[in-house]
Amino acid sequence: QVQLVESGGGLVQAGGSLRLSCVASGSIFSSNDMGWYRQAPGKQRELVARIISGTRVQTADSVKGRFTISRDNAKNTMYLQMNGLKPEDTAVYYCNLGLGALNYWGKGTLVTVSS
């Protein structure tokens, strides 16, 4: 069974930085798709960035140039470095892992950006 635990959220001023971490446990392979999604109040969950097949990176246009996704396979950990944060980045950020036909989600970590 796969478990995902996010950490690193918090309150930050606009222009600031945060680094989110997602630790995965269970049968994890470096080729599994992993990614970060977010859901703001009253909005649908959306893709922030993901690593496909362990190598290819896909990043949402809204965060390109500000957010960087990375993965440390030795630690089964994925990161999201967020710089230049804006109030519109305020959301709960979720870690996602794709394992065959299954999708696993963490419980999320709240990021609040004040203006």
Side-chain angles (χ1 to χ4, degrees), residues 73-85:
N73 293 320
K75 296 181 179 179
N76 279 348
T77 302
M78 179 176 64
Y79 303 98
L80 184 69
Q81 179 66 43
M82 304 187 295
N83 300 327
L85 282 160

Side-chain angles (χ1 to χ4, degrees), residues 44-66:
Q44 289 189 329
R45 192 173 296 189
E46 63 176 4
L47 172 70
V48 177
R50 63 177 177 164
I51 301 174
I52 302 168
S53 299
T55 56
R56 188 162 65 93
V57 173
Q58 179 182 8
T59 306
D61 288 343
S62 59
V63 305
K64 275 182 181 176
R66 300 188 297 122

